[in-house]
Amino acid sequence: MSSHKLIKEGTVRTGLTQGIEYNGWTITSKKSPICNSTEMDNHPTEYKSLQKDLGIPPPEMVFGNNSVTLTYNDRTIITFNARDALAMVEHKDTIKVAYAAEWARNSTRSDVKDVVKPYDWTYSTPYKGTAQGFEEAEEPEVDIARLQQQEPILFYDEVILYEDELADNGTTLTSVRLRVMPSCLLVLHRMFMRVDNVMFRINDTRIYHTFGSPFVVREYTSREDRFQTVFNKLPGSKSDVSLLGDPNWVVSKLPSPTTFVRERLLIN
């Protein structure tokens, strides 16, 4: 196994950078505190320009300085950040239109029930990371068999990009998880969205690389289903509704992807 160097600089309070240098790669995560409402209203920070730049109100919790970056031989391969993820939120209310019957029947909040907002207020995004040069290809695939092998984890982290409780109608959580093993690396960017009594949606982007391979693989999937269909899959008496907030459980109950895209990037 090649030697590796772990990176740790700063603190969560001031801005924490963690990561690993391994096999020509530098893989880092950055975490900083969320801006509170006072800071967002009164300070000329990146958050204040967010609404102006994107043309939509920002979610309740934006971790605008959080990011994940993958670099190979001083070349930035891909980054994940909240601003670019939010830039792909649609400027129309797609949820209410697509699920109009459920919406009319089940939504009790007048502030989102009776008004079609001029943007997707669930902050659902098809973001696949910020990168250039990826091209659609049938192979290589994410090597599931390799990922299931028992390997030591050299580095692991999870970074939240943004979160919103959808005016108490559900939740949207966008996060990035990354792990580096001796033979490969895997990054999962996940957008988890639940609109109570209406629907679930999970958009996943996986970045995978086997060390020594000339390619980086990117696979994007989008899955969704009606809320009641997933609710009916709760075990037993269906009393453990906390599972409806567990993205790992929910994704296991959703049908096959409505969208699947596999891409690759040549790095050698």
Side-chain angles (χ1 to χ4, degrees), residues 14-73:
T14 60
L16 175 64
T17 298
Q18 297 183 101
I20 186 171
E21 295 178 357
Y22 182 62
N23 275 339
W25 287 83
T26 302
I27 302 158
T28 56
S29 64
K30 293 185 179 180
K31 297 179 183 178
S32 295
I34 185 175
C35 257
N36 60 45
S37 58
T38 301
E39 291 173 317
M40 292 180 74
D41 290 340
N42 298 330
H43 291 267
T45 64
E46 185 173 337
Y47 294 90
K48 195 166 186 179
S49 67
L50 193 63
Q51 180 169 344
K52 180 180 179 182
D53 291 349
L54 301 178
I56 61 174
E60 294 170 336
M61 293 169 278
V62 181
F63 295 85
N65 295 313
N66 286 6
S67 65
V68 170
T69 303
L70 278 64
T71 302
Y72 179 67
N73 288 341

Side-chain angles (χ1 to χ4, degrees), residues 14 35 42 44 73-74 85 120 134 137 162 190 210 218 220 224:
T14 60
C35 257
N42 298 330
N73 288 341
D74 297 322
D120 182 353
F134 279 89
Y162 64 85
R190 170 166 287 173
T210 299
R218 175 165 67 178
Y220 171 81
E224 64 180 63

Side-chain angles (χ1 to χ4, degrees), residues 6 13 16-17 37 83 96 99 104 151 160-161 193:
L6 294 178
R13 188 182 184 91
L16 175 64
T17 298
S37 58
R83 178 182 290 273
K96 186 171 182 179
Y99 290 82
E151 279 196 279
I160 296 175
L161 299 184
M193 184 262 284

Side-chain angles (χ1 to χ4, degrees), residues 36-256:
N36 60 45
S37 58
T38 301
E39 291 173 317
M40 292 180 74
D41 290 340
N42 298 330
H43 291 267
T45 64
E46 185 173 337
Y47 294 90
K48 195 166 186 179
S49 67
L50 193 63
Q51 180 169 344
K52 180 180 179 182
D53 291 349
L54 301 178
I56 61 174
E60 294 170 336
M61 293 169 278
V62 181
F63 295 85
N65 295 313
N66 286 6
S67 65
V68 170
T69 303
L70 278 64
T71 302
Y72 179 67
N73 288 341
D74 297 322
R75 171 190 175 189
T76 298
I77 301 300
I78 193 167
T79 64
F80 293 90
N81 64 81
R83 178 182 290 273
D84 290 345
L86 288 166
M88 299 187 71
V89 172
E90 290 199 53
H91 285 225
K92 57 184 178 180
D93 191 344
T94 58
I95 303 301
K96 186 171 182 179
V97 172
Y99 290 82
E102 286 89 343
W103 196 254
R105 189 165 57 244
N106 296 314
S107 181
T108 58
R109 291 285 298 237
S110 61
D111 54 346
V112 291
K113 177 181 177 183
D114 299 326
V115 179
V116 176
K117 297 193 177 185
Y119 65 96
D120 182 353
W121 54 273
T122 68
Y123 300 101
S124 178
T125 177
Y127 182 57
K128 299 189 293 183
T130 304
Q132 294 182 335
F134 279 89
E135 298 179 343
E136 287 197 37
E138 294 184 2
E139 57 182 23
E141 304 177 5
V142 172
D143 191 340
I144 301 300
R146 182 184 293 274
L147 291 171
Q148 290 175 339
Q149 295 176 4
Q150 295 296 317
E151 279 196 279
I153 295 177
L154 305 180
F155 177 72
Y156 173 86
D157 203 4
E158 182 171 4
V159 177
I160 296 175
L161 299 184
Y162 64 85
E163 187 173 2
D164 195 281
E165 294 184 354
L166 310 183
D168 293 331
N169 278 267
T171 188
T172 294
L173 173 65
T174 300
S175 63
V176 187
R177 288 186 291 173
L178 58 156
R179 59 182 168 123
V180 180
M181 289 75 69
S183 68
C184 62
L185 67 85
L186 178 70
V187 178
L188 172 62
H189 172 273
R190 170 166 287 173
M191 191 287 304
F192 169 75
M193 184 262 284
R194 184 193 79 240
V195 181
D196 291 336
N197 301 313
V198 179
M199 69 169 296
F200 287 90
R201 176 182 293 154
I202 293 182
N203 295 341
D204 281 345
T205 297
R206 288 175 171 82
I207 304 297
Y208 174 82
H209 174 69
T210 299
F211 294 118
S213 165
F215 294 109
V216 175
V217 181
R218 175 165 67 178
E219 290 185 354
Y220 171 81
T221 60
S222 181
R223 292 176 167 88
E224 64 180 63
D225 208 345
R226 299 181 186 278
F227 181 93
Q228 192 62 43
T229 302
V230 177
F231 179 88
N232 289 340
K233 296 178 181 179
L234 286 170
S237 63
K238 298 179 174 48
S239 59
D240 188 7
V241 294
S242 66
L243 289 172
L244 300 177
D246 180 351
N248 292 324
W249 183 86
V250 171
V251 76
S252 72
K253 306 304 176 184
L254 295 180
S256 298

